[in-house]
Amino acid sequence: QSKEHDLRRVNALLSQLVRALVLIPIAGDQSYLEGERQLGTPIITVDRPATDLVADTVMLANRSGMAEAVRALTAIGHRKIGFVSNPSEMYTLSERLAGYRQALMEAGVADTAPWERLDNDPSITPESQVRSLLDSSDPPTAIVTGNNRATMLARQSMDRTSSPTTYSRNESNSVPCPRISTGIVPSSSRSRANRDGRCLRDRNGGRIRTCQG
């Protein structure tokens, strides 16, 4: 997505004279909102921090959540753990990648490159990424994925005995397959998001509009 795309969506909301803005940033620059902030409009970003803009942010435990999932695998003996993500440059996914690498480093695995499939090309599917891993000369014994979509699609290509794990946001996203487990964000993260939302409603007469780029 582009800054222009975000700007169109945000302007559509601001034209309705909203008193506050909750934004999931997509573009890499939110400086276009600085003027609105200077006018006193409260701005909160969700899921990832704003760039070139001072704003409160509510984020999930992306890095520690993924690290916990990988530690669960290293605890039962896995060391060759694959990581599949497309896209991979988004803030949330880069944080999950960092957590993956951190946990494997703790387990004594310094070089994870052979088991990483990081792409930013929508024409490359999670199935093909998983197949590339499984068909390599040194395939992983377990796979973690960057998001739920990747898990659901990658699961379709699983015909070996790997143990994929996904970092997920809530229990409803669990995949009904005994070889797949789901990491849950601590409830404190969700509670904080709910609390910040209530505070914003209190400050602005209950009027909040959300915008996802």
Side-chain angles (χ1 to χ4, degrees):
Q1 302 289 356
S2 66
K3 174 181 176 180
E4 291 72 23
H5 176 87
D6 275 7
L7 185 58
R8 287 195 301 271
R9 299 292 295 274
V10 170
N11 281 340
L13 291 176
L14 295 177
S15 67
Q16 301 177 48
L17 303 180
V18 296
R19 297 181 182 178
L21 184 66
V22 179
L23 175 71
I24 301 176
I26 298 296
D29 179 10
Q30 282 72 51
S31 61
Y32 62 88
L33 283 169
E34 179 59 25
E36 194 68 31
R37 188 186 73 85
Q38 294 286 351
L39 290 173
T41 302
I43 300 172
I44 292 179
T45 64
V46 178
D47 199 39
R48 64 208 69 164
T51 303
D52 297 326
L53 177 73
V54 177
D56 292 330
T57 303
V58 178
M59 290 188 294
L60 300 177
N62 291 292
R63 184 180 298 216
S64 61
M66 177 58 79
E68 183 179 350
V70 174
R71 291 187 190 111
L73 292 171
T74 59
I76 58 176
H78 291 284
R79 292 297 182 272
K80 300 177 182 179
I81 302 174
F83 184 93
V84 171
S85 185
N86 184 14
S88 60
E89 293 181 348
M90 188 178 296
Y91 174 84
T92 51
L93 297 177
S94 64
E95 283 290 287
R96 292 167 193 176
L97 176 61
Y100 157 82
R101 289 172 173 170
Q102 173 189 334
L104 280 177
M105 179 69 75
E106 293 170 0
V109 181
D111 183 12
T112 58
W115 304 299
E116 292 178 5
R117 294 298 182 269
L118 310 176
D119 293 291
N120 291 283
D121 182 348
S123 68
I124 298 176
T125 66
E127 295 100 322
S128 64
Q129 291 179 304
V130 170
R131 180 55 51 202
S132 172
L133 280 172
L134 296 180
D135 289 343
S136 66
S137 59
D138 190 17
T141 60
I143 296 174
V144 294
T145 58
N147 55 36
N148 291 334
R149 176 179 176 276
T151 299
M152 296 297 292
L153 295 175
R155 187 250 182 270
Q156 298 173 14
S157 69
M158 299 300 297
D159 57 1
R160 302 188 185 183
T161 57
S162 300
S163 302
T165 297
T166 178
Y167 175 74
S168 177
R169 294 187 184 184
N170 57 61
E171 297 173 3
S172 65
N173 289 325
S174 299
V175 180
C177 173
R179 294 181 299 166
I180 296 180
S181 59
T182 304
I184 307 300
V185 172
S187 59
S188 58
S189 298
R190 296 195 293 271
S191 297
R192 179 187 171 191
N194 292 336
R195 183 175 67 251
D196 286 359
R198 287 195 298 271
C199 291
L200 194 58
R201 284 194 296 273
D202 291 343
R203 290 170 60 189
N204 295 281
R207 189 180 189 190
I208 298 179
R209 295 295 179 90
T210 61
C211 174
Q212 179 172 359

